[in-house]
């Protein structure tokens, strides 16, 4: 699309063309093929995280074949030589999404035809009732209006970069992981780049470190995981632990495993979940299972391997510090996780990457200085360490806050905002609800009463407080939803489930929506549960990593849909009733 039509409002505008935006467009147009629908994309390509500008050769999926696709269009399987236990290069996902927006046609227009590329949304304003309408300002001077708005910008749009002492003095190249796909080829071919330092503990940092080890030429690669953070990710092995599944991902995201998870989603508990979560014996059994998984995972990753001892590879062991040896730490997800999705992934890092668990003191013109390690056992770790650096890569995650709405409005919607911008009266209201919800959660899930001892990090933002993780609980206009404001282990399934629910919500087709009081109570219980369940990660109220299937099932349950059918066709019948 060359330009937006400005003379009359759109029926719906979708901001973002990643997985969530694409599925929102698909489901809305499935029901309303003649709708005036516009998608705004800041870049010139679709795909979000999976766009052609953000992937790179050694960036592989953490979602395997047959799980990295939408229900209405299977992905052509990658070549066998491009698979490792079903995991595959990101370029296949990019090609899939590019073809997806071309293959779906409604009223003579494809999804791509409805995308306005290179359109950065700067602000969104809402008109006053009785007629709710949204005014969107993009590219500074352009303005459009819409009756309904879908914010599908998700959680990986706005870079989060730490403000390090001496940042202005550093003369080397700095970039965020978001730009690595565009920059890495030139950087790794540049003979002047002799030392690269990666900052951050998430899987993205491991991916960048691995890419550096695979590139031709010689360079030193340093990886700094701060002591004052959550620690490094746990790397799940690619193979499944049982022959029942083709890979570890299949083993985690299925309905059977849901019975072993103390999660809050859905009203219908089967007999197995009632046994495992509702009885002392069941909880003991679940603990034993997670203990065994944790110990087996650590053994398979072999953090103390000989080849990595001189490089500090043991510093990558996920820690979630605790005093009780047999607490099942991987269960709590406080350290995040990823998949060791290459056969030589960990060995390459162990042999070629210097790994440090230290806080950063400061940057200088051509170096980074690390503080002495607080828990260090050697004389060397007890002293500051200065590392020459040519390129600094921040794999430090994403900002949870938005710039599209004024802070007060974002907070009223239920979005995360800096604590300083939270309205004291509204904050007190939510604190009362969450305080009341906490004993309810502990009564429902006694397992959560005894978390491991961990380094509690004080939040800087308010949690997300969206109904079903999508809708403002206090808004009855049914004119706005937020998709992808969560962290899950499989975004394909979640994007489809959220889009389906969102379209039904915007159309007013959910028959049993609760009152505002009950919505707020459910939101408060979700936030209280998330804090208990996922510790620091749960403070934002949006970390549902293991809970993909149960979360999706809860949405389908409210829509009165089966979890096992083609959702688009079944929803059409709901729309017609």
């Amino acid at each position: 699309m060359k330009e937006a039509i400005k003379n009359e409002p759109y029926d719906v505008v979708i901001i973002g063309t990643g997985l969530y935006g694409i599925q929102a467009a698909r489901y809305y147009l499935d029901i309303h093929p003649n709708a005036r629908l516009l998608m705004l994309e800041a870049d010139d390509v679709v795909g979000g995280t999976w766009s052609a500008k953000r992937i790179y050769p050694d960036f592989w999926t953490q979602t395997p074949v047959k799980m990295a696709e939408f229900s209405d269009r299977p992905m052509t399987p990658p070549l066998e030589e491009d698979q490792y236990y079903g995991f595959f290069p990101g370029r296949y996902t990019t090609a899939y999404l590019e073809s997806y927006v071309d293959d779906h046609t409604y009223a003579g227009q494809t999804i791509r035809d409805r995308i306005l590329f290179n359109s950065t949304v700067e602000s969104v304003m809402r008109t006053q009732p009785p007629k709710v309408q949204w005014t969107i300002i993009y590219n500074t001077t352009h303005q459009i209006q819409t009756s309904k708005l879908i914010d599908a910008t998700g959680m990986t749009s706005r870079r989060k970069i730490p403000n390090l002492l001496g940042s202005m003095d550093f003369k080397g190249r700095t970039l965020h992981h978001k730009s690595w796909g565009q920059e890495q080829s030139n950087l790794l071919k540049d003979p002047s780049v002799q030392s690269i330092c990666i900052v951050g503990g998430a899987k993205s940092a491991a991916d960048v470190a691995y890419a550096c080890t695979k590139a031709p030429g010689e360079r030193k690669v340093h990886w700094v995981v701060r002591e004052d953070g959550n620690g490094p990710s746990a790397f799940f092995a690619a193979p499944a632990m049982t022959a029942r599944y083709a890979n570890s991902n299949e083993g985690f995201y299925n309905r059977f495993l849901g019975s072993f998870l103390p999660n809050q989603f859905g009203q219908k508990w089967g007999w197995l979940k009632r046994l495992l979560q509702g009885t002392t014996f069941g909880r003991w059994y679940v603990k034993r299972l997670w203990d065994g998984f944790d110990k087996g995972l650590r053994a398979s990753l072999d953090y103390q391997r000989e080849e990595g001892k001189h490089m500090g590879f043991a510093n990558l062991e996920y820690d979630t510090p605790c005093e009780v040896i047999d607490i099942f730490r991987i269960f709590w997800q406080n350290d995040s996780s990823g998949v060791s999705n290459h056969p030589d992934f960990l060995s390459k890092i162990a042999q070629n990457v210097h790994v440090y668990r230290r806080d950063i003191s400061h940057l200088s013109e051509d170096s980074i200085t690390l503080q002495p390690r607080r828990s260090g056992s050697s004389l060397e770790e007890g002293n500051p360490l200065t590392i020459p650096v040519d390129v600094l890569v921040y794999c430090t995650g994403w900002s949870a806050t938005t710039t599209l709405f004024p802070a007060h409005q974002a907070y009223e919607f239920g979005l995360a905002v800096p604590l300083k911008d939270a309205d004291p009266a509204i904050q007190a209201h939510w604190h009362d609800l969450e305080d009341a919800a906490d004993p309810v959660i502990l009564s429902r899930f006694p397992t959560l009463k005894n978390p491991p001892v961990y380094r509690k990090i004080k939040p800087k933002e308010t949690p997300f407080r969206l109904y079903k993780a999508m809708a403002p609980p206090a808004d009855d206009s049914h004119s706005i939803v937020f998709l992808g404001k969560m962290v899950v282990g499989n975004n394909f399934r979640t994007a489809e489930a959220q889009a389906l629910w969102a379209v039904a919500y915007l159309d007013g087709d959910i028959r049993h929506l609760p009152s505002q009081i009950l919505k707020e109570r459910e939101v408060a219980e979700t936030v209280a549960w998330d804090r208990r369940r996922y510790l620091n990660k749960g403070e934002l109220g949006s970390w549902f990593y293991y809970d993909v299937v149960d979360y999706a099932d809860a949405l389908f349950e409210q829509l009165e849909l089966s979890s096992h059918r083609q959702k688009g066709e079944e929803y059409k019948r709901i729309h017609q009733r």
Side-chain angles (χ1 to χ4, degrees):
M1 178 179 286
K2 293 183 179 180
E3 62 181 29
I5 301 171
K6 304 174 184 178
N7 56 354
E8 60 180 294
Y10 283 90
D11 296 319
V12 61
V13 169
I14 301 170
I15 305 174
T17 63
L19 301 186
Y20 290 87
I22 289 171
Q23 282 305 287
R26 167 210 163 182
Y27 274 112
Y28 198 90
L29 292 168
D30 274 349
I31 306 305
H32 308 287
N34 296 306
R36 287 167 48 80
L37 181 147
L38 175 68
M39 303 180 75
L40 295 173
E41 171 54 54
D43 215 326
D44 58 0
V45 288
V46 302
T49 300
W50 299 103
S51 75
K53 287 188 173 179
R54 289 174 66 172
I55 63 165
Y56 45 94
D58 293 304
F59 179 48
W60 281 37
T61 68
Q62 296 190 89
T63 304
V65 172
K66 297 183 180 179
M67 294 177 69
E69 61 188 19
F70 300 124
S71 64
D72 66 326
R73 186 178 182 276
M75 175 191 285
T76 301
L79 299 173
E80 284 295 325
E81 57 265 33
D82 280 341
Q83 294 189 44
Y84 179 60
Y85 288 95
F87 302 101
F88 56 91
R91 69 177 185 273
Y92 286 96
T93 298
T94 302
Y96 173 77
L97 296 175
E98 289 281 358
S99 64
Y100 193 97
V101 298
D102 291 327
D103 291 347
H104 286 67
T105 302
Y106 305 89
Q109 284 189 305
T110 65
I111 291 178
R112 186 186 296 276
D113 292 335
R114 300 164 189 267
I115 301 173
L116 194 60
F117 290 104
N118 299 308
S119 300
T120 301
V121 176
E122 295 170 0
S123 65
V124 178
M125 297 174 289
R126 180 180 185 174
T127 60
Q128 297 299 314
K131 184 179 181 181
V132 175
Q133 194 160 282
W134 302 92
T135 299
I136 301 168
I137 308 296
Y138 66 96
N139 293 354
T140 307
T141 60
H142 294 76
Q143 176 178 308
I144 54 173
Q145 293 183 320
T146 182
S147 300
K148 298 175 183 177
L149 178 62
I150 299 175
D151 179 344
T153 54
M155 297 286 278
T156 58
S157 295
R158 297 185 59 230
R159 301 170 175 89
K160 182 168 70 175
I161 296 178
N163 183 22
L164 300 179
L165 181 66
S167 294
M168 299 300 293
D169 300 324
F170 183 64
K171 303 302 182 185
R173 179 81 172 90
T174 62
L175 67 151
H176 187 272
H177 172 252
K178 185 176 183 179
S179 304
W180 181 253
Q182 292 180 271
E183 302 277 357
Q184 65 109 20
S185 178
N186 289 333
L187 285 175
L188 296 180
K189 290 178 181 177
D190 187 345
S192 69
V193 175
Q194 295 295 305
S195 177
I196 296 177
C197 183
I198 302 156
V199 177
K203 177 57 163 54
S204 59
D207 288 333
V208 171
Y210 179 76
C212 290
T213 70
K214 296 288 283 187
E218 293 186 8
R219 67 193 63 79
K220 290 187 176 180
V221 183
H222 306 274
W223 181 0
V224 178
V225 182
R226 293 177 299 122
E227 276 195 287
D228 61 1
N230 286 317
S233 292
F235 299 116
F236 291 175
M241 296 190 71
T242 69
R244 178 185 178 93
Y245 303 107
N247 51 65
S248 56
N249 204 285
E250 284 187 13
F252 267 98
Y253 301 112
N254 61 75
R255 198 158 282 102
F256 175 72
L257 181 71
S259 298
F260 293 81
L261 299 171
N263 70 43
Q264 149 93 2
F265 304 115
Q267 302 299 316
K268 300 176 182 177
W269 282 20
W271 68 267
L272 183 58
K273 189 157 189 170
R274 289 196 300 271
L275 171 66
L276 295 177
Q277 301 300 328
T279 69
T280 301
F281 169 78
R283 292 190 293 273
W284 171 84
Y285 181 77
V286 169
K287 179 181 180 300
R288 288 290 301 271
L289 182 142
W290 280 98
D291 278 345
F293 175 69
D294 187 276
K295 293 171 183 175
L297 180 61
R298 290 176 193 269
S300 70
L301 296 175
D302 189 13
Y303 289 107
Q304 304 299 326
R305 63 182 69 188
E306 192 65 34
E307 64 182 348
K309 283 188 175 179
H310 68 292
M311 303 296 280
F313 184 73
N315 289 322
L316 288 180
E317 183 167 7
Y318 60 96
D319 49 19
T320 307
C322 68
E323 298 168 351
V324 183
I325 299 301
D326 67 344
I327 281 188
F328 39 121
R329 286 173 272 187
I330 190 66
F331 165 87
W332 299 95
Q333 261 282 307
N334 194 47
D335 314 289
S336 185
S337 62
V339 177
S340 178
N341 47 6
H342 301 267
D344 61 348
F345 187 77
L346 293 177
S347 62
K348 278 286 188 183
I349 292 174
Q351 296 170 23
N352 300 288
V353 179
H354 298 271
V355 183
Y356 312 92
R357 290 294 306 276
R358 298 188 183 210
D359 293 330
I360 297 171
S361 171
H362 62 276
L363 297 177
S364 301
E365 183 173 320
D366 58 0
S367 64
I368 183 171
T369 297
L370 308 181
Q371 296 178 11
R373 185 168 183 181
R374 292 194 294 266
S375 57
S377 57
S378 69
L379 180 62
E380 180 183 352
E381 289 182 319
N383 294 317
L385 176 66
T386 297
I387 304 168
V389 174
D390 300 309
V391 177
L392 190 60
V393 185
Y394 290 108
C395 297
T396 45
W398 311 92
S399 173
T401 61
T402 181
T403 60
L404 303 186
F405 303 90
H408 73 276
Q409 191 171 63
Y411 188 56
E412 290 172 3
F413 286 155
L415 299 177
V417 301
L419 285 172
K420 65 181 179 60
D421 293 330
D423 181 278
I426 299 176
Q427 187 79 321
H429 170 69
W430 280 112
H431 283 171
D432 289 344
L433 289 175
E434 289 156 13
D435 288 344
D438 191 58
V440 174
I441 294 301
L442 294 181
S443 174
R444 192 177 298 161
F445 303 111
T447 298
L448 304 184
K449 290 181 180 179
N450 300 301
V453 177
Y454 67 101
R455 186 185 304 106
K456 188 172 178 60
I457 299 174
K458 187 176 180 180
K460 296 180 181 179
E461 300 90 12
T462 63
F464 285 94
R465 295 182 173 116
L466 296 165
Y467 178 63
K468 301 299 184 188
M470 285 179 277
D475 182 75
D476 60 1
S477 70
H478 288 224
S479 66
I480 185 169
V481 287
F482 300 88
L483 305 188
K485 297 296 186 184
M486 55 169 57
V487 177
V488 293
N490 184 333
N491 283 288
F492 280 87
R493 182 182 180 93
T494 311
E496 199 161 354
Q498 281 205 332
L500 181 58
W501 189 94
V503 174
Y505 174 83
L506 293 174
D507 284 350
D509 283 336
I510 301 178
R511 294 197 292 191
H512 303 296
L513 276 177
S515 65
Q516 179 182 332
I517 292 174
L518 293 179
K519 286 180 186 175
E520 290 183 346
R521 184 180 301 169
E522 180 179 322
V523 169
E525 288 186 0
T526 299
V527 172
W529 164 80
D530 211 12
R531 286 172 173 152
R532 289 285 184 175
R533 174 65 183 86
Y534 290 114
L535 311 180
N536 284 327
K537 297 294 188 183
E539 286 290 342
L540 270 178
S542 60
W543 194 273
F544 308 157
Y545 195 84
Y546 291 132
D547 309 289
V548 171
V549 175
D550 285 316
Y551 171 73
D553 281 356
L555 299 184
F556 300 149
E557 181 181 311
Q558 189 175 39
L559 295 175
E560 302 173 73
L561 298 181
S562 164
S563 298
H564 300 279
R565 298 183 183 174
Q566 289 291 327
K567 304 300 179 299
E569 292 303 315
E570 195 165 347
Y571 174 60
K572 289 179 182 178
R573 292 195 289 275
I574 290 179
H575 182 73
Q576 294 165 358
R577 68 192 175 195

